[in-house]
Amino acid sequence: MQRIVRNQVLDTATAKIVKKVTSGIFGDPKGYEETLYITDKGTYFLYTNGGAESKYTEEKITLKYKPYAQKWLEENK
């Protein structure tokens, strides 16, 4: 998935996965995934997606600053 956010191209195909968290199994309407990525330039972003009854009902990419990324990693050990 690729999005342009604040004039930056954020692409899950070219960025490196830092950590992925899943809840449920594939096809679970309440299941979801959160994946933290980092680009070659050091930009962090969070990819989220989930089932129709989850907190992420559609695919989304959100730009995240380093302090948020570090906090997210601590919360998802």
Side-chain angles (χ1 to χ4, degrees), residues 52-70:
E53 298 174 23
S54 75
K55 61 182 179 178
Y56 304 115
T57 58
E58 59 186 53
E59 282 186 303
K60 188 173 180 180
I61 287 180
T62 309
L63 181 65
K64 299 296 180 187
Y65 294 104
K66 189 173 182 177
Y68 174 88
Q70 291 171 333

Side-chain angles (χ1 to χ4, degrees), residues 1 10-22 32-40 42-49 56 60-77:
M1 177 178 193
L10 305 176
D11 189 347
T12 58
T14 58
K16 180 182 173 186
I17 294 175
V18 178
K19 180 153 180 108
K20 182 175 187 171
V21 176
T22 59
Y32 64 88
E33 67 180 84
E34 299 174 319
T35 309
L36 183 66
Y37 287 86
I38 188 169
T39 67
D40 290 339
T43 302
Y44 289 92
F45 65 92
L46 190 65
Y47 166 83
T48 54
N49 191 22
Y56 304 115
K60 188 173 180 180
I61 287 180
T62 309
L63 181 65
K64 299 296 180 187
Y65 294 104
K66 189 173 182 177
Y68 174 88
Q70 291 171 333
K71 180 180 175 188
W72 186 89
L73 285 168
E74 282 295 315
E75 291 171 351
N76 291 286
K77 282 187 175 180

